[in-house]
Structure formats: structure tokens, C-alpha cells
Amino acid sequence: MSTIPALAGAPAATRGAGAAERAAEGVAARVGRALEAVFESVAETAAETAALLTRVATEGRRPATADLAALRPGLHLRLARQELVSGVGFIAAPGLLSDVPAWLEWWQSTGEGDVRPLLLDLDPARSAYADYTHWDWFALPRDTGRRAVAGPYVDYLCSDEYSLTLSAPVEVAGRFAGVAAADVYLRHFETAVLPLLRELPGPAYLVNARGRVAASADPAHLAGSLARGPDFAAALERVCPAARGEVGLVPCRPVPLVLVVGAVPGSAASGEAETEAAGRGASPAPSAT
């Protein structure tokens, strides 16, 4: 039996559900491929940073900000090569560097096509941005050892743009050293994925592991809002798509996003959900007509 709600009514409910599942899985795979290209840039930054920090360690000293300048040619190349990426770099774990308490080796593209560094005052006595360790793009890779998609959120730290940040941990000799990351403006991400979501006849949206809506073709779930109910982190671990009530959860492998698809009102799956709700003593959602 299909795990995805039927997205459109059909004479044979099983055939309709099977087609809906295939369509949702196809869209999820295409979203995954679009963001995997960004994660490849993140992985390259992580590998270069780990190699640099390892070389410095073999010299018997702690790294300094001047050492991180060696990352810049690769960061500039990734900004030029990957059109979805608006910013890229390495964010050091506090205490990693010998000359500053915190540091972002971060470069951004401008509207004119130039590349410029992000220059921040990270003195904890003066700056509200000195402690970046609570932000999801830093905390999730640090705490889980896995890559993450954070946002969308207004990126006051870098661009003042509504953005997504894709990040991955950087480890040296088994110890967490910081994160490699890349920013994607939400407007660019929506340009890439909204046409895919709109191919599905029912409501559909994308969420990260914490349920933050990354993009949406469902007016009930706006980008940036928090979707409640399903365990989206658990959905990312499943081998197969899953259903929870009126929605289906399809991981956008290999990236940590979940495609959430709902049943079209009047379809077989929608009717089953209303019957279930009535059995619990709840009223079905009112019809739009």
C-alpha cells in the first residue's frame, strides 16, 4: 500500500496513490539534486579547511587567522562556479584560533558580481554577534556530526537577506574545529524549487529537520514558519517515505530536507482522513466550495 496520500481523485484509489507517490518521490529527488550541488561546495571547503588545520598542527602550533587566508582562492572559485551560492566560508569553533576568540573566514558575492569579505566585530564586549554557537547552522553540525540546512531566516550576520544556510562539521583528529557553510538566498532557492512543488496537484512544502519551512506551495505553511506535528528528523532517517495522517513525508535525499505532501480535497486520501477525524469526534475541515 502506498505511503503517500493520493494527490488527486482517480477511479482506482490504489493507482492514484501509486502515481502520487512516484510524483512526490520524483520532486523530492530533484530538490535533493539542486541542493546537493551546494553541499558539494560545502564539502570542498570542509576538506580544504581540515587539511589546512592538520598541516598547522604538524608544525606544533595553533592556527591563526592569517593561516585561513589560504582558503580564499577556493572560496572565491566556489562563489563564481555555483550560482545558488551567495556566501561561503569556514566558521571557527571558539578557542580554535590563537589570535582571536572567534572568526568567520567568509566571502560573499555582490549584486555587481564582485566578491568581498565579511568583516565583523566579534569582540564579545562590543558585538551582539560574538557568540554564533547557538545558531542552527553551527549548532546542528556540532551536536549531530552531520550536515544541516538552517533557515530560512533573516541573515543579519552577513547579508540582511532572507536566506538558507547549508553547513557541515569540520573535524581534525576527531575533534570539532568549526563548520564549513554556504548561504543561499531564499529568493534564489524558491526560483529553483517552487516550479517543482507546483507540479504536484496537492499542497506541498519543504522542511528541515526541525520543521522550519524552507519553501512552500501550500498557503497554510509559509516559508520561514514552523510546521508542527510529524517528527521530521526521524523522517530523514527512514529508508522509505512515510505517511502521518493527511500528509506524506518524503526525504529529499541526499540532503536533509523533507518534502511534505498533502491530499487534494475530494481525493480518496482526503476522504479517509475526514472519516478518521469524524471517528475521533472531530469535524472534518470545511470545504472550500
Side-chain angles (χ1 to χ4, degrees):
M1 182 177 179
S2 171
T3 57
I4 304 299
L7 297 181
T14 301
R15 280 202 305 274
E21 180 170 348
R22 290 191 296 273
E25 290 178 347
V27 167
R30 290 156 71 191
V31 170
R33 286 195 294 271
L35 274 190
E36 185 60 18
V38 178
F39 267 121
E40 288 173 1
S41 293
V42 173
E44 290 170 3
T45 300
E48 287 187 5
T49 305
L52 170 65
L53 297 177
T54 299
R55 285 198 304 273
V56 171
T58 61
E59 298 171 5
R61 63 182 180 88
R62 291 173 61 196
T65 52
D67 293 306
L68 299 182
L71 299 175
R72 293 173 186 174
L75 299 179
H76 296 178
L77 176 63
R78 275 158 226 139
L79 279 172
R81 186 180 63 198
Q82 178 51 254
E83 62 181 30
L84 271 182
V85 173
S86 59
V88 65
F90 169 68
I91 303 93
L96 174 74
L97 303 176
S98 60
D99 54 336
V100 292
W103 186 257
L104 286 82
E105 184 62 41
W106 194 263
W107 290 76
Q108 301 174 148
S109 56
T110 69
E112 295 74 34
D114 298 324
V115 173
R116 61 179 174 83
L118 175 67
L119 301 175
L120 290 174
D121 180 2
L122 294 176
D123 186 330
R126 298 190 301 266
S127 174
Y129 302 121
D131 182 12
Y132 44 69
T133 61
H134 64 284
W135 291 84
D136 277 355
W137 47 260
F138 191 92
L140 283 170
R142 177 196 61 201
D143 296 344
T144 67
R146 300 178 180 181
R147 56 191 195 170
V149 176
Y153 61 97
V154 180
D155 188 3
Y156 293 114
L157 193 65
C158 297
S159 64
D160 290 334
E161 284 259 6
Y162 218 31
S163 302
L164 297 168
T165 300
L166 285 64
S167 57
V170 175
E171 295 185 349
V172 177
R175 300 185 63 179
F176 177 74
V179 302
D183 280 346
V184 176
Y185 291 152
L186 179 63
R187 52 190 168 90
H188 295 162
F189 181 62
E190 288 182 324
T191 298
V193 303
L194 281 181
L196 304 180
L197 299 182
R198 289 171 180 152
E199 290 179 9
L200 300 171
Y205 55 99
L206 298 166
V207 299
N208 65 14
R210 295 199 175 181
R212 186 70 61 187
V213 178
S216 178
D218 179 358
H221 295 87
L222 301 181
S225 64
L226 195 62
R228 303 189 182 277
D231 185 341
F232 299 110
L236 288 170
E237 302 296 327
R238 295 191 185 103
V239 175
C240 298
R244 187 184 188 279
E246 295 181 62
V247 299
L249 309 177
V250 188
C252 299
R253 292 190 174 89
V255 305
L257 284 180
V258 176
L259 170 64
V260 185
V261 292
V264 173
S267 71
S270 177
E272 290 169 4
E274 291 182 0
T275 300
E276 181 183 350
R280 293 194 305 265
S283 299
S287 170
T289 57

